[in-house]
Amino acid sequence: MAPLMRTSKSKDKKAANYFQLPIIIGDADKNISPCATTCTTASSADSSIAEEKSSNVKMDFNNNRSNDMESLLGNRTNDEEQDNTFTMNIEGPSAKRLFWETLLNRFLASLVLHSQSLYYTFMFHGLSLDALSCTIGAGMEGVFLISTICLLLRGIWRGHLSETPVKMQIRCSCEFFKNLSFWRIGIIIFLVATTIGVLLSDVGFQQKTGGERPDMWSLMAHVMNFTSGIKGEFKDGGKGAMKLITGCLTTIGLTVIVCVLQEIRVARYTAAGAGDITELQPRKKVRTVGFVGFAFMVFLYMTGSWMPIFHTYLSVCGSFVLSPAGSKFMDGALKIDPSMTSSPRRKAPNVVLVLHESLSGELMMTHDSSAKATPFFHKMLKSDDEYFVFEHARTVSGDTTDAITAIESGCNPMDKESRNLALNTTLATEFKKQGFNTVSFNSRVMNLASTKWFMTQHQLMTNFDQIIDPAVTHDPLENPPGQDDRKMVENFQTWLEGRQGDEPFFAQFYNFNSHYPFFNNDNKTSDSRLDGMLETVDQSIEQIFDILKETGNLDNTIVIGSADHGERSTPSKYGRLREWNRDILHVPIYVRMPRKLFKTAEQVNTLRYNTQQLVSTLDIYPTIMHLLNGKSLENYPVVDQHCVRGYDLLESKIESDRIAWSFPGVSKNFARDKKGNMAIHTGTSSSLYNRFGWAQDNSLSVMEYAPIIGSKHKISKEDSKALDMEEWKSVVQNLEGTSNGIVLDKKGRYIKELYKVLGLDPAW
């Protein structure tokens, strides 16, 4: 460090790579800059003048402590500056170099901050341009975040970061507390807290979905359920949650260390130790760099770069002025004109629909331990009387928005334009039009209106006379964000006992115990967390029948239950949003219908026959409409130009060569999306599954299903044989010219990719 030297008007300025710090001569403990280490002694006359001027400065400093040393000195005349200032020459980097060096430091610090998220990006998306874009985007959003926090800290801390005498350190500390700016502190706390929350949510979401990134409306659901999500992680043993939190706090700690070391370096080479890079370059240039950098960051974001923090802030702000596509249409479409309602049919039966979130039929029916955990369900499966369990049911998708829409509307749309057709129908609306009393029992907190799942909110709440959910019951959320299904079912008895009038009712349950983190019964039949969950599911199903019997409604009520989709057999993962398997596509569907409610014996035989055939969740809607209207829907094709639909299980005997489809018709655009999952089903033993367009793990495979435990249907070896790939090629080729050929005629990306991997040449 060079010694301080007196300056004068005639003295030439130092070279560009030296900084000049004006220093007041005065009391060594109070007025000497902390950067100063040695200086020459001024003449007595100069000292007298310096003391006088130093006193003036000290008075100004006490009147306004928010002004830094440089601004105070700026109020002096040129002559006073010449007489009472020194220049300290510090050998170091140029201002320009230090400015860019600091930006680079913050960029690297941001990569450290995002390291967990970037790890999963590269794991699931590979070394690709997308991963590189995400890396640059993560670095840039961190630069703006860190720079904002540093500017706010500068407004709070006006002291010095360089070496100072002990008394100066004490004085700086006192000044810190006197100059606290609480609004700045509040913003810093908000930025740090939201950053921690966003990074935790992002890493957790990627872990569970296999690298999937939430869109604006998916993210809003996670924002509103953040607390429940954290509780859910700890419900699942807590190890994963602690590992996640430890990793996040570690990366934040390393980020702080990297930034602080650079800020100390900046403070030592800037005027008065202010420690802010905006002093290193003209303000106009700093603004230009900031504007260009922000514009480039927005460009990367608009082209698909993943920036979790920026995406969260933008989504939250956007949710105040925007709404999910189709939500306003659905609001209007489901409004019922009172003049269009009618009285229910004479002696119409009551109908109860039980929707099980994420319950796997493959898990319930093909695992020995799971069979022991669900004795009532397996009693239904073996029944020859009034219970009907469909052993080979397939869902349309692993996404709730697709799966529940299929059940509620009987439509899986094949293009974006057809999506509204699927969203303008719900079962509650149809029953309400017919004069039924309608009631909804939802184990999950219903706060999905302004999220990706807005249609689920409508399907579970719109046009119900009464809605009972945790906000009404105030029961603890044992399976965050849902309560124990068994406690919710208890409210069904209270509702039945309090009913007035003799109108038939439609009751709908949305049970949540089978959703992650999987509500676990304390008295498990095995060490498996999933078996513990299945116990509670089985008990809740049995409760419904017990309550109907106790209240005298069992003999006049039809109960239909189904999962929307299944879930992987590995707890703490729900990769169904990204990749399907048999645990996800195989769902349980069951019916209890008293014999006296069948019109003919043929209907009984047909329904029993279909329990051993390939069925789809799309079959539930036309079957329920038959129960509501007393007859099958007229002119109801299995496939039309808009939707893949289903069969009335009371009237149609399912053929052994039936074709069923699984694709995300609501959550994705079947005709145009460049990546996705699709499955074709025929027979009961296998499905053809195609995964395409992803960065890795794309495949065409034959998905085989395990034998059903306890099935009374003896399947021959020929019938149980899974089709091989050549046989599946023939199946697809034979679709042309049939009703299912309409799906092929859509010529969408899903169909083109299927033909491509099969090596087929489409007729079109």
Side-chain angles (χ1 to χ4, degrees):
M1 183 175 290
L4 298 177
M5 302 178 64
R6 179 179 296 276
T7 60
S8 65
K9 282 186 177 181
S10 60
K11 189 90 171 181
D12 292 337
K13 292 185 178 181
K14 299 294 179 180
N17 65 326
Y18 288 87
F19 291 90
Q20 296 182 349
L21 271 69
I23 300 174
I24 305 301
I25 301 175
D27 185 358
D29 288 339
K30 297 180 179 179
N31 295 321
I32 297 177
S33 167
C35 296
T37 55
T38 60
C39 63
T40 58
T41 304
S43 66
S44 59
D46 287 344
S47 299
S48 176
I49 296 173
E51 290 177 1
E52 180 182 353
K53 299 307 179 181
S54 175
S55 176
N56 293 335
V57 172
K58 182 176 180 180
M59 292 175 62
D60 290 341
F61 184 82
N62 290 331
N63 291 334
N64 188 0
R65 294 179 182 273
S66 63
N67 294 329
D68 57 23
M69 192 69 73
E70 184 180 4
S71 63
L72 287 174
L73 291 173
N75 294 327
R76 295 176 175 273
T77 63
N78 291 336
D79 290 340
E80 290 172 340
E81 290 180 0
Q82 293 170 11
D83 291 337
N84 302 291
T85 64
F86 286 88
T87 296
M88 181 178 66
N89 301 326
I90 305 176
E91 293 187 12
S94 67
K96 182 178 181 180
R97 175 186 168 187
L98 191 60
F99 175 78
W100 291 108
E101 182 182 297
T102 303
L103 288 181
L104 178 61
N105 171 272
R106 292 177 181 178
F107 183 88
L108 296 176
S110 180
L111 295 185
V112 173
L113 183 67
H114 289 81
S115 57
Q116 281 186 295
S117 177
L118 291 174
Y119 169 78
Y120 287 106
T121 296
F122 281 96
M123 175 186 290
F124 294 111
H125 298 272
L127 295 172
S128 60
L129 289 176
D130 176 66
L132 177 61
S133 174
C134 291
T135 302
I136 297 174
M140 294 195 67
E141 76 167 0
V143 169
F144 283 97
L145 174 68
I146 294 170
S147 297
T148 301
I149 292 176
C150 287
L151 284 172
L152 291 168
L153 285 172
R154 179 175 178 265
I156 296 172
W157 178 259
R158 296 284 182 173
H160 305 285
L161 294 176
S162 56
E163 297 179 1
T164 62
V166 175
K167 291 184 179 180
M168 179 61 70
Q169 292 178 354
I170 295 174
R171 189 175 70 81
C172 289
S173 299
C174 294
E175 292 304 318
F176 169 74
F177 289 106
K178 290 181 180 180
N179 288 307
L180 281 179
S181 177
F182 289 102
W183 69 268
R184 289 188 178 94
I185 293 175
I187 293 177
I188 291 172
I189 292 174
F190 171 78
L191 290 175
V192 172
T194 54
T195 297
I196 293 173
V198 168
L199 293 177
L200 283 172
S201 298
D202 177 49
V203 175
F205 191 82
Q206 288 199 61
Q207 281 181 333
K208 288 181 173 55
T209 62
E212 191 74 4
R213 300 162 186 165
D215 61 14
M216 175 178 179
W217 304 113
S218 300
L219 185 142
M220 288 308 301
H222 289 278
V223 169
M224 289 186 283
N225 294 282
F226 178 76
T227 303
S228 296
I230 294 295
K231 291 179 180 178
E233 292 292 337
F234 280 98
K235 286 282 185 180
D236 186 21
K239 292 182 180 179
M242 289 305 302
K243 182 178 179 181
L244 191 67
I245 293 173
T246 302
C248 182
L249 294 179
T250 300
T251 56
I252 290 175
L254 291 174
T255 302
V256 171
I257 292 173
V258 172
C259 290
V260 168
L261 291 176
Q262 180 65 16
E263 294 309 306
I264 292 175
R265 175 176 167 79
V266 172
R268 288 176 176 174
Y269 289 104
T270 53
D276 180 54
I277 64 171
T278 57
E279 296 182 4
L280 299 178
Q281 294 290 292
R283 289 184 179 272
K284 184 177 180 180
K285 183 174 182 179
V286 173
R287 292 193 188 101
T288 301
V289 171
F291 176 79
V292 173
F294 185 78
F296 183 62
M297 184 180 74
V298 172
F299 169 77
L300 289 176
Y301 176 79
M302 296 298 291
T303 55
S305 179
W306 179 236
M307 306 175 196
I309 300 173
F310 181 66
H311 179 65
T312 300
Y313 290 142
L314 194 64
S315 297
V316 172
C317 294
S319 67
F320 290 104
V321 294
L322 302 174
S323 58
S327 62
K328 292 183 178 179
F329 170 84
M330 199 169 184
D331 288 339
L334 296 180
K335 290 181 179 179
I336 298 177
D337 184 350
S339 64
M340 299 297 292
T341 60
S342 60
S343 300
R345 289 185 299 109
R346 185 180 180 183
K347 297 182 179 180
N350 308 309
V351 177
V352 174
L353 175 64
V354 185
L355 299 172
H356 299 278
E357 175 62 54
S358 305
L359 182 61
S360 173
E362 189 77 4
L363 176 66
M364 290 184 75
M365 291 185 269
T366 67
H367 293 250
D368 289 326
S369 62
S370 299
K372 293 177 182 178
T374 54
F376 183 76
F377 179 83
H378 279 265
K379 174 185 174 182
M380 292 194 297
L381 188 147
K382 297 174 183 178
S383 172
D384 279 330
D385 191 16
E386 297 175 337
Y387 295 101
F388 303 81
V389 174
F390 297 83
E391 300 177 6
H392 310 289
R394 309 290 182 250
T395 185
V396 299
S397 171
D399 192 307
T400 296
T401 58
D402 307 308
I404 290 187
T405 299
I407 294 172
E408 291 280 340
S409 69
C411 169
N412 195 18
M414 290 186 285
D415 52 49
K416 188 176 181 180
E417 292 71 23
S418 302
R419 186 171 181 261
N420 287 342
L421 294 176
L423 298 184
N424 66 5
T425 302
T426 67
L427 289 169
T429 303
E430 298 304 313
F431 277 94
K432 188 68 177 174
K433 289 178 181 178
Q434 297 290 342
F436 278 62
N437 286 343
T438 55
V439 59
S440 177
F441 298 91
N442 301 310
S443 294
R444 188 201 192 281
V445 174
M446 287 289 103
N447 57 357
L448 303 172
S450 296
T451 72
K452 168 190 171 181
W453 293 270
F454 71 88
M455 70 289 293
T456 306
Q457 177 105 349
H458 277 299
Q459 290 152 354
L460 300 178
M461 299 188 72
T462 300
N463 291 326
F464 285 99
D465 298 322
Q466 190 171 352
I467 300 168
I468 300 174
D469 63 9
V472 175
T473 65
H474 302 293
D475 288 327
L477 301 182
E478 301 283 359
N479 192 49
Q483 69 172 80
D484 185 354
D485 296 337
R486 297 169 297 181
K487 288 186 176 294
M488 179 55 68
V489 171
E490 292 173 2
N491 294 286
F492 184 37
Q493 182 166 0
T494 304
W495 181 82
L496 285 173
E497 292 173 346
R499 284 185 72 223
Q500 295 181 353
D502 58 356
E503 295 90 352
F505 65 81
F506 171 66
Q508 180 173 278
F509 288 83
Y510 180 57
N511 289 354
F512 205 71
N513 278 12
S514 47
H515 188 279
Y516 182 83
F518 311 113
F519 182 71
N520 202 3
N521 192 16
D522 292 333
N523 300 314
K524 302 190 295 291
T525 55
S526 73
D527 293 331
S528 168
R529 180 176 180 79
L530 292 179
D531 288 343
M533 171 271 292
L534 288 175
E535 278 193 6
T536 70
V537 170
D538 193 64
Q539 292 164 7
S540 67
I541 296 173
E542 187 175 14
Q543 272 183 280
I544 292 175
F545 292 110
D546 290 342
I547 290 172
L548 288 171
K549 184 177 181 180
E550 290 175 16
T551 57
N553 291 286
L554 185 62
D555 292 338
N556 194 41
T557 301
I558 300 168
V559 178
I560 300 175
S562 175
D564 57 346
H565 50 71
E567 185 53 278
R568 289 182 175 274
S569 57
T570 306
S572 4
K573 303 286 183 186
Y574 41 93
R576 53 183 167 78
L577 300 178
R578 179 184 173 92
E579 186 174 2
W580 299 344
N581 62 13
R582 65 187 187 183
D583 292 326
I584 294 167
L585 295 180
H586 184 187
V587 295
I589 297 179
Y590 57 89
V591 174
R592 185 195 182 274
M593 187 168 176
R595 286 297 179 102
K596 70 176 186 178
L597 298 181
F598 286 94
K599 287 185 176 181
T600 65
E602 183 62 26
Q603 284 187 342
V604 179
N605 295 332
T606 298
L607 192 60
R608 182 67 63 192
Y609 172 82
N610 287 335
T611 61
Q612 305 302 322
Q613 302 301 308
L614 172 67
V615 300
S616 168
T617 51
L618 287 166
D619 300 334
I620 294 174
Y621 177 82
T623 303
I624 291 180
M625 287 299 99
H626 184 143
L627 300 173
L628 174 63
N629 300 314
K631 60 181 181 180
S632 294
L633 293 170
E634 297 179 358
N635 301 318
Y636 192 80
V638 177
V639 181
D640 59 26
Q641 293 296 326
H642 304 290
C643 304
V644 174
R645 300 185 183 274
Y647 290 94
D648 177 355
L649 297 176
L650 288 168
E651 292 292 336
S652 303
K653 278 195 171 184
I654 305 298
E655 300 292 339
S656 59
D657 61 351
R658 176 195 182 170
I659 298 294
W661 298 85
S662 295
F663 58 83
V666 175
S667 63
K668 305 290 184 182
N669 188 331
F670 176 72
R672 297 181 181 178
D673 273 13
K674 297 181 179 180
K675 66 178 182 180
N677 299 276
M678 184 178 73
I680 302 177
H681 316 281
T682 192
T684 59
S685 300
S686 64
S687 301
L688 181 66
Y689 170 57
N690 186 36
R691 184 176 189 273
F692 69 93
W694 303 85
Q696 56 188 13
D697 300 329
N698 297 306
S699 64
L700 177 72
S701 60
V702 175
M703 188 183 297
E704 298 186 25
Y705 300 90
I708 305 298
I709 295 175
S711 175
K712 297 185 69 175
H713 179 61
K714 302 301 181 182
I715 303 177
S716 66
K717 290 185 178 181
E718 185 63 29
D719 291 337
S720 63
K721 179 180 177 295
L723 301 182
D724 60 28
M725 191 61 70
E726 289 301 318
E727 290 171 317
W728 275 110
K729 284 185 180 181
S730 298
V731 169
V732 174
Q733 285 178 315
N734 293 333
L735 292 178
E736 297 179 8
T738 68
S739 59
N740 284 286
I742 297 175
V743 181
L744 304 181
D745 291 340
K746 284 294 180 179
K747 306 175 186 178
R749 185 64 178 264
Y750 281 63
I751 298 299
K752 290 181 179 178
E753 288 294 332
L754 177 63
Y755 269 82
K756 179 180 178 181
V757 293
L758 283 173
L760 298 176
D761 184 18
W764 35 267

